[in-house]
Each structure stands twice: as C-alpha cells, then as structure tokens.
Amino acid sequence: MRKHAKVLPGLALFAFAQAGGAQAAELALSGIMGGSAILVVDNGPPRLLAVGKSSPEGVRLLSVDGNVAVVEFEGRRQALRLGQRVVRQTGGGAGKAGVGSLTGEEARKVLARGVEITIEADEAGHFSVDGEINGSRVQFLVDTGASLVSIGQSTAQRLRLDLDDKQAVNTQTAGGIAKAWQVRLKSLKIGGLRFDNVDAVVMQADMPMTLLGMNVLERMEMRRDGKLMRLKKKL
C-alpha cells in the first residue's frame, strides 16, 4: 500500500522561561494555510494546526478568518493577526501582556524552520505524495528525471487549466517524443510547503500521477535515508 507525506514539525517539549518567579510565555502567528494556522510557542518549532486541534504545548486553534486566528492560550481566548506575537507573565507575578510584530526576516525563518515532508517509498521504490495544484488535490510522483512539473491531460481538465493560448512544445519521454503545452501554476502545495508561480507542462496523454519535477525539487533540500525521502524548503 502506498504511503503519503506527513508534516513532521519538531516535537520539542514546551518550557516556560523563568523571570523573577514568574513564567514568560510567548505565542506567535507566523502563517495561515487555508483553514490551518502555523503557531510558534515560546520560540519553539512551528506547529501547523487545523481548527479544533491543539499543539503539544496546549494551544488550541478555535478559528481562522482571513489573516486572523483565534486561539485558546493559557485559559484565555486570543485573536492574533498574521505576524503578531503575544507575551504574557503568569504564575508568581502579576499578569501583563505585550504585543509586537515579527519582522519579515523573522517570519521567513520561522516558517522555514522545522517544516519537513517525509515520504516512504512504495514496493516498487517510487516516492509519491498527496498535494494540491491551484487548491485542487492531486497525487505527485517524485521524478528527478523530469525537468518540469508534468501533468496528464485528464488531470489538467479537472484542474481547468486553459490551454487555448499556451505554447505547444515537444517533450522527450520514456516512450519517445510527446506533445505538451507550457503553463504556469498559481500555486503548488505538498504537506506544509507551498510554491507560487510554478512552471509546468500539460502532456497530451493521460498520466497516472503528476510528476514533481526538478524545477520544484531543486527549491528543496532532499535527503534519502533508506526507504524514506525527506524534503525541506530551502531558506
């Protein structure tokens, strides 16, 4: 049975920083992906949470609306805007709260840190992973021999990719020369990794899976460990 990707953020234990008998806890909203939010607790690894789910540190995501996430944190409900962080003192001292904004560079590092895709090879040694193109689900096959993301005809029709004004090209396949059309995808996602404005080709023939080509793979760190392949977006 074919196994698919898992998002594996680091499972660090949550620790409060001691400050004069009080405990300082920090929560940051570093990203939003559809109905999920990426939260960072006490400068730990990013946690990708769906609505209704809780992080190992006990932060529960209640809702996502636009660029605002509502969470339950230390017994209180808190609305956070994208890039915002909250710091509270609890325990031995008087409670107080402060809010600041992450810089663009800080947000980029937070998003990149600890988000990793792990794919297990099937019986034939192939690596496949579920993902999305332009918000619609597709199944990818990792193919280091494909220069571009390659999409079969029926998949392109399901994705409603318009080929009317696209340039036709000839591509080399295992079966010989095949006709294809060059397109640009608005977005491509696998696990917690997203890529925008991705070049691809739509093949004239049908394909059992969409090929995840080198134009996306080269934007990730790839590590092979036996039957496991680990992918992480480059900084």
Side-chain angles (χ1 to χ4, degrees), residues 19 40 73 99 110 113 120 126 135 138 145 149 172 178 212:
V40 176
F73 178 47
V99 176
V110 164
R113 186 176 69 239
E120 185 172 353
H126 299 142
V138 298
V149 173
Q172 181 68 50
L212 191 64

Side-chain angles (χ1 to χ4, degrees), residues 3 21 36 38 41 48 55 60 62 72 100 129 145 152 177 201 232:
K3 299 190 177 180
S36 300
I38 300 177
V41 184
L48 179 64
S55 76
R60 183 178 177 84
L62 301 178
E72 189 174 71
V129 54
I177 301 297
V201 291
K232 186 176 181 179

Side-chain angles (χ1 to χ4, degrees), residues 92-192:
K96 63 180 180 179
V99 176
S101 296
L102 293 175
T103 67
E105 180 65 13
E106 288 174 332
R108 186 182 70 84
K109 290 181 178 180
V110 164
L111 284 169
R113 186 176 69 239
V115 180
E116 186 176 85
I117 304 300
T118 299
I119 310 173
E120 185 172 353
D122 61 18
E123 293 80 0
H126 299 142
F127 292 93
S128 63
V129 54
D130 286 337
E132 294 181 3
I133 289 178
N134 297 348
S136 297
R137 183 177 295 274
V138 298
Q139 189 175 34
F140 292 105
L141 176 67
V142 176
D143 188 351
T144 57
S147 58
L148 296 176
V149 173
S150 302
I151 306 168
Q153 183 69 236
S154 60
T155 301
Q157 292 174 352
R158 179 171 61 82
L159 296 173
R160 297 183 178 179
L161 299 179
D162 185 6
L163 306 180
D164 289 342
D165 59 347
K166 301 301 185 293
Q167 180 181 357
V169 296
N170 291 325
T171 61
Q172 181 68 50
T173 69
I177 301 297
K179 186 177 180 180
W181 291 265
Q182 292 182 327
V183 297
R184 175 160 290 185
L185 310 175
K186 293 181 180 178
S187 65
L188 183 151
K189 291 175 62 177
I190 51 173

Side-chain angles (χ1 to χ4, degrees), residues 8-74:
L8 299 177
L11 298 180
L13 293 177
F14 179 49
F16 289 107
Q18 301 296 324
Q23 294 175 322
E26 179 178 288
L27 176 65
L29 176 62
S30 62
I32 291 177
M33 295 182 178
S36 300
I38 300 177
L39 300 170
V40 176
V41 184
D42 200 30
N43 292 318
R47 308 293 192 187
L48 179 64
L49 296 180
V51 173
K53 299 298 183 180
S54 299
S55 76
E57 300 85 4
V59 179
R60 183 178 177 84
L61 180 62
L62 301 178
S63 67
V64 174
D65 184 9
N67 65 346
V68 177
V70 177
V71 300
E72 189 174 71
F73 178 47
E74 295 181 339

